[in-house]
Amino acid sequence: MRLTRFLLRRTAQGILVVWGVITLVFLLRFITPGSTIDFVAPLDASPELRQRLAEDLGLNKPIYVQYADYIVNLLQLDMGNSLLKGRPASDVIFARLPATLELAIAATIVAILFSIPLGVISATRRHQPVDYGATGFSLIGISTPNFWLGIMLILIVGVNLGWLPTSRRIIGFGPALELLVFEGRTIGIQVWFEHILLPSITLGTYFTALITRLTRNGMLEELGQSYVEVTRAKGLPETLVKYKHVLRNTMIPIITVLGLQMGTLIGGAVITESVFNWPGLGTLIIDAINSRDWPLIQGSLIVIGVGFVVINIVVDALYMYFNPQVTFE
Amino acid sequence: MSDDVILRVSDLSTRFFTTDGQINAVESLSLEIEEGEVFGIVGESGSGKSVTARSLIRLIESPGRITSGTIEYRDADLADDLREDHPGAVDGEFVDLLAIPEKIHRGLRGTSFSMIFQDPESSFNPSLTVGEQIAEAVEVQRRASSNPRSTRARTRSSEYSLRSYAAAAVLPSRGYVSSESKDRAIELLQQVGIPDPEQRVDEYPHEYSGGMLQRAMVAQALAGEPDVLVADEPTTALDVTIQAQVLDILRDLQEETGMTILLITHNLGVIARMCDRVGVMYAGEIVERGSLGDIFDRPTHPYTQGLLGSIPDLDAAGGRLQPIGGNVPSLLDAEMGDRCYFADRCPKAMEECLEKPAEYPAEGTDDHAAQCYLADHPYEASQALPEDYFEESEPP
Amino acid sequence: MNWQRVWRSLRAEFGRSPMAKLGVVLILAVFLMAIFAPFLATTNPKAQDLSRANEPPVGFTDTTEDTRLVDGERQTVTVTTRGTLEYPLGTNQLGQDMYSRLLYGARTSLLVGLLGTAIAALAGVSVGIVAGYYGGRVDDGLMRFADVMLAFPALVLAIALIGLLGPQPVDIPDPFVAAGLVSDMPETTVLPVTVTLVVALVNWVWFARVARGEALSVREKNYVKASRSLGASDWRLMLKHVLPNSLTPILVLATVQVAVIILLESALSFLGFSGTTLSWGFDISQGRDLLATSWWISTMPGLAIVVTVIGINLVGDWLRDALDPDIEGESGGGMG
Amino acid sequence: MDEPFEITMTQRQDPTTLDPHNHRETPTDNVVLHSYEGILWRGPEGEIIESLATEWEVVEDNRHRFTIRDDVQFHDGSSLEPSDCAFTIQRIVDPEAGGLESPQRDQLAGTTGAEVVDGERAIDMLSGGPNPMAFQNIASYAHVVSEDWISERDNEEIAVEMNGTGPYRLADYEPEEYVRLEKFEDYWGEEPDVDRVEIIAAAEDSTRVSQLLAGETDIISAVPPNDAGRIESEDGMSIADIGSTRILMCPMVYNEEPFDSVEFRQAMNYAIDLDQMIDEILRGFGVPTGQPTLPGYNGHNSDLEPYPYDPDEAESLVEQSGYAGAELELEYPAGRYLLNDELAQAAAGFIDDLENVSCEAVSRDFGTLAGELLDGDLSTTPSFYNIGWGNTTFDASQTLTPFLTEGTAIYHYRSDEMEQLKEQWQVETNADEREQILQEANQLAHDEAVWVFLNREWLVYGINGRIDWDPRQDEYFLAQGMNQA
């Protein structure tokens, strides 16, 4: 009940935020110098051609009419036609979305898989070599620009050692899975895995480091709480004390931070995609900005904004799940 | 009397090694507790009571360490089980708890020993239901008793894989706790007088009041049906009427189950109400011990006398210790001389007090004794130290 | 706020923590490098010598297969280059001195990092205090706006704005060169204005959140209520009570933000959205295509970023441990 | 040959569409020209050769006739008719005809339409007046589509499917990921060696090189000269190179200070050591230029030499111009052409080395810079910028007109003399006369130092040894020209 009510309220707020994003994105187009027409028109187009193109694209209507049109179209999931690709912007964006999602999810999995055990071990073996190692790693991890990390990984693992491919996606997870399920061939998954490994490490390192730090600090703080002593006095196995009791409470601040850091993940994905030539939303946005493909820019930013809002609602729900004391006012 | 002794502590010292120096929180402490009695330890804040309690169940964490002594616990079955693997720890029916591995010791917690902590609010994990936490304690006991003959089985930390830990971190209701344990938790809550336990069992600590939490804490401590219950200031955080209720519950349960209670408090009223025998603690040492009557009617140590003298009416529950003149001593090793630690506050301090006093038997029951020269010697005002003696010699 | 107490706890923590010492040493080193770059540099970082391009750092020997087109014929020869002391960290593809470029790159990073953080802090703290102090609708409005800003990933918003507004570089004269103390060094340092404003724009929200939280709690304190009932003006109360109480967490946040912004700036330079050619990120992107042949061009500035940011993070840890404010979001904002 | 011969090619950009008439980029051409063919075509040296037309002639000044083959099939099985060729031209020049506002319209500048010649397998291309560029344009543009096939589809379908007459048909297309092509069995011409082609893209130079060296692809375009040695020295890998149709230059806006001074503009040319830039940065993969037109093109003036490196002369010219102490910014599009970042930075560095001028290279993204250049408004154009210009018609006018004559979107220079020359080259149909006019215009451009002349861009490919291929000047790399080694 509590959860349902909460989700409803958060969804309403989320819609408001998305509307804000849409409006801001729309305005962005009008405060920026340079006309869209310059990018649509051929290199040596005549003024008449330019005029006609402007009319075709509705660029000569008053701003509020364009805004109203835009909102109405958006409600029908129509983001306009990409100027660059000549296809509906939504098609282009949703074709790219799986690649970015795969990367983001893989990076998150990498991060969670390594960071939480590492943080726990580090906190429970304080001042031992493993703790110094983990602390050092997390410090370097949050201080290393991921574009540089990606380059170094390509150089060492891809080029010098030749263990993994240096770039590209080749096959999506969906088709790879289909291949496995319907034809029983593992090659798809294998290729997919080989290609996503370096990018997801590159994207995940910052998060791994960040969560390791948070887990370690949180665990240390929680381990000092009285209730830990109580659980020990009860005779609970030590692992249960750490993972069930302490880690659970440590998760609460971690979840908060993760929600706030989602933007970083998406931003990091832009860079990672650019370094690894990964055909996701990030590279699309850079291309779109460079060619002033407004429908594409706006569409991508809105999709990202919606994603951000959705993720944060999920994060808040998780937060509430982990922290029963929270009542959302 | 030794037949009845269940816990025998000798020469126990617990020290903390901090950046400011070594702190001698418990100093060469010896005592014996008999089966089925309520033994009280009373003393001012900072006298080492809580550390003593934690030392008894080996819950001292870094930078603290138990540096010497033995804690012998009488349990014939346990002794039989351990005799082979840990011969050094076993002496007849007694097992030295400090000489067995942590793993085996952990198996004793909850089932042989249990503890009630002083601040109920912070003693429960805020993100798990109260019932869940009590049921855990039941589960420890359940798993242990499912194979009562083998201590090794009962002390092994069960077949608990990493996967189920992860599951436990995410899904608290899965994994460790069985539904039988949960039912037992409801019974326990009822036993300690929580109204509406079927509903309360699924509530979180922040939904309980302080008094209810302390009762839940009692329920949790009793869940493993322990032989020895260590209660560290079980009522301090509560207001007077609720204090009385909780104490009544404890007393009733003790009479019902016959368990041994080690009650630690700074409240003489509580002692008077609950205890059979009493130890008075000062600066990490038991300075006087004896039966309730010995201590209250025939106090020997000037400190005990000071404590009692400051209470207008012993029968009034909640009567609090009035401060004795002077400061509670620092337990920093560097600042502790080799003397009677109470000497600088003692109105009868004499030159003899500048040396460490031995324990002298005192008038009263067999085990009435005090760590004071005066217990065995008459007071002679002529040997008294000048009043400002310690002020001068104290470092600025 | 009790500055003496703050100072004492800072000193105590500093004495305890070798990491804090390391952080301060690193930061000082980077600052000195940046400030005295004209004296420390051995060569004008912009001076090119195409005949000395792609030389390895001193102590390294680089052997490459060099294919050239000579009179229409491809000729491949093995070329061995040995690093020299003249270019201690090697040279880039224009024969510029990587060591001197590293020093000057520190200027850009620190300039953007500090200025961007200052602007973000100023804007964020003002908004946050106003929101927290007045509460109600003002608070709701400002904080929903902050939510909208948060819904844009910082890097994406920065790329969009810079791509759309252009770099707008501004030349800041180098005082040492202007005073005639050194010659043959660049006369100006380029401040990429758009980048600075944009990194501030995408990071002010974190300051706003912290300041708002502090303002909310201070507002309820009795002495503030008392002052208000005595007729003290809102502005006075905000400046006198709310602001000083927020300073500690803001200071810690600001430290972390400098690191975040330096990373963001380097990411933007890397993607070619900066506006200066003397920047670590720029050098990394330039060296990226030469990785396989001249690894040092990307590696050296990358290491410089890592070391600088580690230094700042260590100092941040030190401040946090010493002052222990409750900062939401650990590092706040994000790098790319 | 039992094993099918399959290759992968990596270029810099993905195609933006598969519609041959709705784009203006070489990467798209590199895909669609596997499937679509021109009425005429060009040999490796740029000469006009036959393709779908076997004969071509000028019937009248404004009427050019092409005789169309009768043995050609589209991939969908229908056969090629002259009407398809006429429709193709109409589709480009007339928005009404094909339902498309083709960005290629001006590539057929002057052309007004096309019609089928009654009773013959031929078409006439029509223009408003004399059209000296008619055959040049047709040899470079206007790739033939099927009228029926196009009419049955909307533009969005045309953008993702292909139905041409060429040697390869589309097998699989995932936009922005790959295009896969397979051999068209009923191709009219010579059967190609390669059975299946996959075309992918990687914007990063290092990525493409890594892909080649790792064996993930067989042929890559735009190899940075630094990496040429790695490829050459690798077993089974090699480099192929050829001069392109593109020149790099740094235009200077003629009416803005200090570039309104001819002396100053000349000084900029004397200031840079172009030979050293080509030797060291490009490792010789480039040729210095001194005029807007490449050798072998109509209008190339062989008397003109590149400006020599003479900083002293440059400094004294700057003094003469009265603009000593000028502070310049050279804006270049980041990573747009082969090592143009380095070239622009080096050029700026050389100019900065002058005692009396300072210069800084400023990186811009191509989109923004192009926007400022192309809006037809000279005031928004940076006064000094770097750009590359490809001319695939092999005629000087395609470079001179847009940059150096008034009224185009991208012009940055005007003079009465050049305007007069333009009026002539646009209509002169006598080849020799026209050649003279264009050479004169090139002389003028050189003397006026309208640009800082840089190099002819070089095409450098990395090739896996299992492929045998000679590169083409026009930047196309097409599987039909490749053989199994």
Side-chain angles (χ1 to χ4, degrees):
Chain A
M1 271 327 284
R2 200 168 64 118
L3 198 66
T4 323
R5 235 188 11 251
F6 158 75
L7 284 179
L8 279 177
R9 184 173 314 124
R10 283 298 272 121
T11 309
Q13 278 174 8
I15 289 173
L16 211 67
V17 169
V18 169
W19 173 70
V21 169
I22 293 172
T23 308
L24 216 65
V25 162
F26 183 82
L27 288 176
L28 208 58
R29 168 170 167 181
F30 287 89
I31 57 166
T32 48
S35 157
T36 311
I37 288 301
D38 301 332
F39 296 88
V40 188
L43 284 187
D44 30 18
S46 62
E48 297 79 49
L49 176 61
R50 297 163 60 83
Q51 178 64 30
R52 204 163 59 233
L53 283 170
E55 278 166 25
D56 286 354
L57 293 168
L59 295 173
N60 48 357
K61 290 186 196 162
I63 179 170
Y64 56 89
V65 177
Q66 290 192 42
Y67 180 63
D69 286 352
Y70 190 68
I71 298 272
V72 169
N73 288 337
L74 263 186
L75 290 177
Q76 300 159 0
L77 287 180
D78 175 7
M79 298 170 172
N81 260 3
S82 160
L83 310 175
L84 192 62
K85 317 274 181 192
R87 293 184 291 145
S90 50
D91 286 5
V92 179
I93 292 166
F94 288 115
R96 292 287 193 104
L97 198 55
T100 299
L101 284 182
E102 272 171 28
L103 184 57
I105 291 171
T108 312
I109 290 174
V110 167
I112 290 174
L113 227 54
F114 286 97
S115 60
I116 292 183
L118 198 58
V120 173
I121 292 169
S122 175
T124 52
R125 309 221 175 130
R126 209 176 171 189
H127 301 312
Q128 290 178 25
V130 59
D131 179 30
Y132 292 123
T135 318
F137 157 76
S138 57
L139 183 64
I140 295 172
I142 60 163
S143 305
T144 305
N146 60 4
F147 57 91
W148 188 65
L149 178 66
I151 287 176
M152 291 292 139
L153 285 177
I154 291 177
L155 173 66
I156 295 165
V157 183
V159 179
N160 286 356
L161 299 174
W163 287 348
L164 287 173
T166 55
S167 60
R168 290 184 70 202
R169 178 158 171 256
I170 306 280
I171 188 167
F173 183 67
L177 203 60
E178 276 172 28
L179 212 59
L180 182 69
V181 174
F182 296 117
E183 298 180 31
R185 294 170 59 195
T186 53
I187 181 76
I189 291 289
Q190 191 193 329
V191 167
W192 174 82
F193 182 74
E194 282 173 355
H195 282 85
I196 206 168
L197 197 56
L198 287 188
S200 50
I201 290 174
T202 303
L203 181 56
T205 295
Y206 177 79
F207 272 80
T208 313
L210 184 68
I211 302 174
T212 305
R213 250 165 96 93
L214 289 173
T215 310
R216 178 178 180 274
N217 293 349
M219 286 284 286
L220 284 178
E221 198 165 300
E222 284 295 320
L223 281 170
Q225 301 289 323
S226 314
Y227 74 82
V228 179
E229 200 174 28
V230 177
T231 55
R232 290 200 175 123
K234 280 196 292 196
L236 280 194
E238 191 61 14
T239 24
L240 199 62
V241 172
K242 274 167 193 151
Y243 283 92
K244 180 171 169 183
H245 283 266
V246 176
L247 185 57
R248 191 179 160 82
N249 284 312
T250 310
M251 292 303 284
I252 293 167
I254 294 179
I255 288 168
T256 320
V257 174
L258 279 190
L260 292 171
Q261 290 283 346
M262 273 303 139
T264 313
L265 184 68
I266 296 166
V270 172
I271 294 260
T272 309
E273 287 178 10
S274 154
V275 171
F276 285 94
N277 201 30
W278 191 259
L281 268 190
T283 40
L284 182 70
I285 282 190
I286 295 185
D287 287 350
I289 288 170
N290 280 341
S291 51
R292 290 291 198 287
D293 191 337
W294 275 106
L296 218 48
I297 299 175
Q298 291 169 325
S300 316
L301 287 178
I302 290 168
V303 168
I304 288 175
V306 170
F308 185 87
V309 166
V310 169
I311 290 171
N312 266 289
I313 293 177
V314 173
V315 163
D316 281 351
L318 266 181
Y319 181 75
M320 194 155 85
Y321 175 76
F322 274 100
N323 188 1
Q325 291 178 70
V326 167
T327 45
F328 290 93
E329 71 278 27
Chain B
M1 92 177 193
S2 65
D3 279 355
D4 298 336
V5 168
I6 189 165
L7 203 60
R8 192 163 67 198
V9 180
S10 351
D11 196 31
L12 179 71
S13 293
T14 302
R15 309 214 146 105
F16 288 82
F17 301 91
T18 69
T19 46
D20 296 330
Q22 176 187 330
I23 294 170
N24 300 341
V26 177
E27 179 75 14
S28 298
L29 182 137
S30 301
L31 55 85
E32 289 180 345
I33 299 174
E34 288 166 26
E35 190 161 6
E37 73 169 339
V38 178
F39 188 94
I41 293 183
V42 66
E44 290 170 288
S45 311
S47 59
K49 302 186 302 284
S50 286
V51 177
T52 306
R54 281 163 175 73
S55 300
L56 290 182
I57 50 174
R58 270 180 65 175
L59 272 184
I60 301 294
E61 284 185 44
S62 177
R65 191 147 48 84
I66 298 173
T67 52
S68 69
T70 55
I71 301 172
E72 287 171 300
Y73 168 63
R74 185 166 61 85
D75 182 331
D77 293 344
L78 184 66
D80 286 344
D81 284 341
L82 293 177
R83 192 160 285 124
E84 197 178 312
D85 289 349
H86 304 279
V90 180
D91 175 14
E93 287 192 351
F94 283 92
V95 174
D96 181 2
L97 298 178
L98 297 180
I100 58 178
E102 165 67 21
K103 227 176 172 179
I104 295 178
H105 192 273
R106 189 185 308 129
L108 301 176
R109 286 186 211 136
T111 55
S112 294
F113 302 93
S114 173
M115 183 157 172
I116 299 176
F117 292 82
Q118 54 179 318
D119 180 8
E121 314 261 344
S122 65
S123 295
F124 279 96
N125 184 338
S127 62
L128 295 176
T129 61
V130 173
E132 166 91 12
Q133 298 183 57
I134 296 175
E136 276 179 353
V138 178
E139 188 71 29
V140 169
Q141 157 76 6
R142 215 175 58 84
R143 293 190 184 210
S145 56
S146 67
N147 193 352
R149 288 306 307 163
S150 163
T151 308
R152 261 154 297 185
R154 113 193 213 198
T155 52
R156 220 172 48 211
S157 58
S158 83
E159 323 65 37
Y160 213 67
S161 68
L162 188 67
R163 194 169 54 84
S164 28
Y165 292 131
V170 180
L171 299 164
S173 52
R174 309 270 178 286
Y176 193 68
V177 172
S178 64
S179 60
E180 292 89 346
S181 301
K182 183 127 181 230
D183 293 341
R184 172 75 182 130
I186 297 174
E187 274 174 49
L188 282 163
L189 283 176
Q190 191 151 27
Q191 227 173 337
V192 297
I194 302 273
D196 214 358
E198 283 86 4
Q199 192 204 322
R200 286 290 185 168
V201 76
D202 286 328
E203 287 184 4
Y204 289 93
H206 67 98
E207 293 167 284
Y208 274 54
S209 70
M212 285 195 341
L213 268 186
Q214 188 63 301
R215 288 184 212 188
M217 168 83 78
V218 173
Q220 175 172 273
L222 296 177
E225 293 166 15
D227 300 329
V228 178
L229 175 67
V230 179
D232 182 12
E233 306 270 15
T235 57
T236 309
L238 308 176
D239 53 39
V240 179
T241 49
I242 298 178
Q243 275 189 17
Q245 291 171 8
V246 170
L247 290 177
D248 286 345
I249 289 169
L250 265 183
R251 186 89 235 187
D252 292 349
L253 288 168
Q254 195 263 340
E255 279 164 9
E256 223 172 274
T257 61
M259 67 182 166
T260 312
I261 294 182
L262 177 65
L263 180 68
I264 290 173
T265 181
H266 62 260
N267 188 327
L268 283 168
V270 171
I271 293 282
R273 184 178 192 131
M274 298 284 294
C275 296
D276 303 316
R277 291 196 306 136
V278 182
V280 178
M281 199 155 182
Y282 186 79
E285 297 174 324
I286 299 278
V287 291
E288 181 166 4
R289 59 201 162 86
S291 67
L292 190 65
D294 291 336
I295 299 296
F296 277 68
D297 301 338
R298 297 173 286 277
T300 304
H301 201 287
Y303 177 64
T304 317
Q305 290 167 354
L307 283 182
L308 293 167
S310 60
I311 300 181
D313 178 4
L314 283 183
D315 290 334
R320 301 229 161 197
L321 289 176
Q322 294 300 308
I324 301 169
N327 297 318
V328 181
S330 154
L331 296 177
L332 264 182
D333 186 57
E335 294 170 16
M336 296 176 82
D338 194 18
R339 59 173 169 85
C340 172
Y341 301 137
F342 187 61
D344 56 338
R345 296 168 76 188
C346 184
K348 300 177 181 170
M350 302 184 298
E351 275 170 28
E352 278 77 5
C353 301
L354 298 177
E355 282 176 27
K356 193 88 184 162
E359 193 175 74
Y360 300 99
E363 177 196 355
T365 57
D366 281 355
D367 56 341
H368 186 198
Q371 221 176 74
C372 182
Y373 185 72
L374 290 173
D376 204 32
H377 302 80
Y379 176 64
E380 290 177 32
S382 61
Q383 287 178 337
L385 293 166
E387 259 180 46
D388 53 357
Y389 176 85
F390 288 101
E391 280 155 45
E392 278 170 16
S393 62
E394 287 290 327
Chain C
M1 117 179 288
N2 186 339
W3 287 109
Q4 264 179 341
R5 209 192 62 222
V6 167
W7 182 239
R8 252 203 323 276
S9 48
L10 279 179
R11 264 213 329 238
E13 179 66 28
F14 187 75
R16 255 199 300 277
S17 160
M19 285 319 218
K21 293 187 189 101
L22 177 64
V24 168
V25 167
L26 291 178
I27 293 303
L28 272 181
V30 175
F31 262 91
L32 292 177
M33 270 168 56
I35 293 169
F36 297 108
F39 299 103
L40 297 169
T42 47
T43 321
N44 184 327
K46 290 180 175 179
Q48 64 192 30
D49 182 352
L50 295 182
S51 63
R52 303 285 303 270
N54 298 330
E55 287 188 11
V58 63
F60 289 89
T61 304
D62 180 51
T63 307
T64 45
E65 302 296 324
D66 187 27
T67 298
R68 281 170 191 269
L69 199 62
V70 181
D71 299 326
E73 294 295 316
R74 285 194 302 277
Q75 300 177 353
T76 303
V77 285
T78 307
V79 179
T80 303
T81 326
R82 200 178 293 279
T84 61
L85 258 182
E86 189 184 349
Y87 299 123
L89 297 183
T91 62
N92 66 8
Q93 69 281 16
L94 296 178
Q96 295 167 325
D97 178 25
M98 289 307 296
Y99 164 70
S100 303
R101 291 185 67 79
L102 216 62
L103 296 174
Y104 273 87
R107 285 191 159 188
T108 307
S109 284
L110 289 184
L111 215 55
V112 174
L114 295 176
L115 211 60
T117 307
I119 298 171
L122 207 65
V125 170
S126 313
V127 170
I129 288 185
V130 168
Y133 184 84
Y134 287 108
R137 285 227 187 101
V138 179
D139 186 26
D140 276 352
L142 288 173
M143 284 302 114
R144 285 295 87 74
F145 179 62
D147 283 350
V148 173
M149 294 298 292
L150 270 181
F152 281 110
L155 184 79
V156 176
L157 185 59
I159 290 174
L161 288 175
I162 294 166
L164 303 172
L165 299 175
Q168 315 289 355
V170 161
D171 290 338
I172 300 172
D174 185 322
F176 300 120
V177 178
L181 294 175
V182 277
S183 58
D184 211 27
M185 285 290 155
E187 285 165 19
T188 56
T189 304
V190 177
L191 173 72
V193 171
T194 310
V195 173
T196 311
L197 290 178
V198 161
V199 294
L201 185 69
V202 296
N203 281 300
W204 67 270
V205 181
W206 303 96
F207 288 97
R209 291 175 77 108
V210 170
R212 170 179 175 268
E214 292 294 321
L216 272 178
S217 69
V218 172
R219 188 173 68 134
E220 297 305 322
K221 295 261 161 67
N222 280 331
Y223 63 88
V224 175
K225 284 183 175 166
S227 310
R228 193 166 1 180
S229 65
L230 289 175
S233 78
D234 287 347
W235 280 112
R236 198 181 140 72
L237 281 172
M238 279 190 255
L239 282 181
K240 198 166 165 215
H241 296 298
V242 182
L243 185 61
N245 275 293
S246 323
L247 277 182
T248 316
I250 287 167
L251 186 70
V252 176
L253 178 64
T255 316
V256 180
Q257 284 293 317
V258 173
V260 168
I261 286 181
I262 285 179
L263 290 176
L264 189 56
E265 188 276 334
S266 67
L268 290 168
S269 297
F270 173 76
L271 291 175
F273 286 99
S274 179
T276 169
T277 51
L278 267 182
S279 134
W280 291 335
F282 179 84
D283 278 357
I284 293 176
S285 76
Q286 295 290 300
R288 176 184 184 183
D289 285 333
L290 300 167
L291 262 192
T293 47
S294 311
W295 52 268
W296 54 92
I297 302 177
S298 276
T299 309
M300 294 299 172
L303 285 175
I305 295 176
V306 174
V307 167
T308 307
V309 177
I310 284 182
I312 297 173
N313 279 324
L314 286 176
V315 169
D317 287 352
W318 166 42
L319 294 183
R320 194 199 323 269
D321 290 346
L323 309 176
D324 192 40
D326 244 357
I327 290 194
E328 173 185 32
E330 161 101 331
S331 67
M335 51 156 288
Chain D
M1 262 182 247
D2 303 318
E3 282 283 300
F5 187 45
E6 299 180 2
I7 64 168
T8 303
M9 317 199 295
T10 308
Q11 52 177 346
R12 287 176 85 152
Q13 306 287 334
D14 283 302
T16 57
T17 175
L18 297 184
D19 185 338
H21 304 144
N22 195 15
H23 75 92
R24 281 187 70 135
E25 313 105 357
T26 312
T28 304
D29 273 336
N30 271 334
V31 171
V32 299
L33 296 191
H34 282 93
S35 291
Y36 291 104
E37 294 180 294
I39 297 169
L40 298 178
W41 184 229
R42 288 184 186 275
E45 304 298 320
E47 72 278 13
I48 297 175
I49 58 172
E50 63 173 47
S51 178
L52 296 180
T54 47
E55 285 166 42
W56 55 100
E57 58 181 327
V58 184
V59 186
E60 288 166 36
D61 262 4
N62 61 352
R63 190 173 275 269
H64 295 71
R65 180 158 300 175
F66 301 87
T67 308
I68 308 296
R69 281 183 196 282
D70 60 1
D71 57 348
V72 178
Q73 264 186 32
F74 283 104
H75 297 161
D76 66 356
S78 60
S79 54
L80 172 79
E81 297 302 328
S83 60
D84 293 317
C85 298
F87 172 76
T88 296
I89 293 170
Q90 288 285 6
R91 186 168 187 250
I92 295 170
V93 301
D94 182 0
E96 308 297 323
L100 176 74
E101 179 67 68
S102 171
Q104 296 171 355
R105 195 166 153 196
D106 58 281
Q107 290 180 335
L108 298 184
T111 302
T112 52
E115 59 190 31
V116 177
V117 181
D118 282 345
E120 288 184 45
R121 279 195 72 84
I123 60 163
D124 280 350
M125 187 168 95
L126 309 170
S127 45
N131 188 357
M133 290 295 294
F135 296 130
Q136 295 287 7
N137 287 340
I138 287 296
S140 296
Y141 309 118
H143 303 108
V144 175
V145 294
S146 156
E147 180 171 10
D148 291 343
W149 189 82
I150 293 283
S151 311
E152 287 160 9
R153 283 167 176 74
D154 60 25
N155 286 339
E156 278 157 29
E157 288 172 87
I158 299 168
V160 294
E161 294 172 32
M162 290 203 282
N163 180 35
T165 59
Y168 291 96
R169 61 194 292 169
L170 184 65
D172 192 7
Y173 174 45
E174 194 62 50
E176 283 125 62
E177 291 195 24
Y178 57 80
V179 185
R180 294 189 183 131
L181 302 157
E182 62 194 8
K183 200 148 75 176
F184 174 46
E185 299 300 340
D186 297 323
Y187 181 54
W188 60 271
E190 193 186 337
E191 185 188 343
D193 225 11
V194 178
D195 294 295
R196 296 180 66 88
V197 191
E198 181 186 45
I199 302 171
I200 55 179
E204 296 303 324
D205 294 344
S206 54
T207 307
R208 288 191 306 279
V209 173
S210 308
Q211 283 180 6
L212 179 75
L213 291 179
E216 294 166 27
T217 191
D218 298 300
I219 180 163
I220 60 172
S221 66
V223 173
N226 294 312
D227 285 322
R230 282 170 72 209
I231 296 172
E232 278 279 84
S233 58
E234 186 83 21
D235 277 347
M237 305 276 173
S238 67
I239 289 291
D241 70 277
I242 192 168
S244 76
T245 59
R246 189 190 304 280
I247 52 173
L248 289 188
M249 69 269 199
C250 300
M252 296 169 276
V253 173
Y254 79 107
N255 58 1
E256 275 178 39
E257 290 185 359
F259 300 113
D260 54 355
S261 154
V262 180
E263 288 83 6
F264 193 87
R265 295 201 300 260
Q266 288 170 341
M268 297 300 100
N269 276 292
Y270 283 114
I272 65 165
D273 188 344
L274 187 54
D275 288 330
Q276 195 188 23
M277 284 161 63
I278 291 170
D279 281 351
E280 297 297 338
I281 297 173
L282 297 172
R283 316 263 162 140
F285 290 99
V287 166
T289 66
Q291 59 182 307
T293 306
L294 288 170
Y297 279 51
N298 294 337
H300 175 75
N301 189 332
S302 51
D303 297 338
L304 296 173
E305 288 294 318
Y307 281 88
Y309 175 51
D310 189 345
D312 296 334
E313 175 72 12
E315 280 166 14
S316 74
L317 279 169
V318 168
E319 291 300 331
Q320 285 174 41
S321 73
Y323 287 122
E327 292 179 5
L328 312 179
E329 277 184 2
L330 173 60
E331 302 185 16
Y332 65 92
R336 183 71 188 181
Y337 313 106
L338 186 65
L339 296 184
N340 77 301
D341 293 33
E342 286 80 357
L343 291 169
Q345 287 164 21
F350 278 118
I351 294 170
D352 196 53
D353 284 345
L354 296 181
E355 290 296 332
N356 47 11
V357 182
S358 73
C359 183
E360 174 124 23
V362 178
S363 152
R364 303 289 309 274
D365 72 271
F366 178 75
T368 330
L369 182 62
E372 292 168 5
L373 302 184
L374 293 173
D375 56 7
D377 178 2
L378 215 50
S379 65
T380 61
T381 301
S383 55
F384 190 25
Y385 60 94
N386 164 239
I387 201 86
W389 188 255
N391 179 339
T392 48
T393 59
F394 294 82
D395 189 275
S397 68
Q398 207 205 13
T399 310
L400 297 173
T401 311
F403 280 94
L404 305 177
T405 65
E406 193 176 8
T408 65
I410 199 175
Y411 88 104
H412 67 91
Y413 171 86
R414 98 165 283 289
S415 68
D416 293 342
E417 222 177 328
M418 194 63 91
E419 295 297 323
Q420 285 165 12
L421 288 168
K422 171 182 140 186
E423 312 238 310
Q424 298 173 37
W425 79 56
Q426 278 186 329
V427 294
E428 181 56 60
T429 48
N430 178 307
D432 289 343
E433 290 291 324
R434 195 158 175 282
E435 178 76 19
Q436 280 304 316
I437 297 162
L438 291 171
Q439 286 194 11
E440 204 176 313
N442 276 318
Q443 178 82 49
L444 183 64
H446 173 87
D447 294 346
E448 285 271 291
V450 293
W451 305 333
V452 173
F453 295 99
L454 299 179
N455 57 294
R456 175 181 193 170
E457 192 176 44
W458 222 253
L459 301 171
V460 187
Y461 299 90
I463 302 179
N464 189 308
R466 65 199 198 98
I467 296 176
D468 183 24
W469 178 63
D470 288 324
R472 299 169 59 92
Q473 279 191 354
D474 51 18
E475 296 191 36
Y476 297 145
F477 64 126
L478 305 173
Q480 50 261 50
M482 300 176 186
N483 295 309
Q484 191 159 12

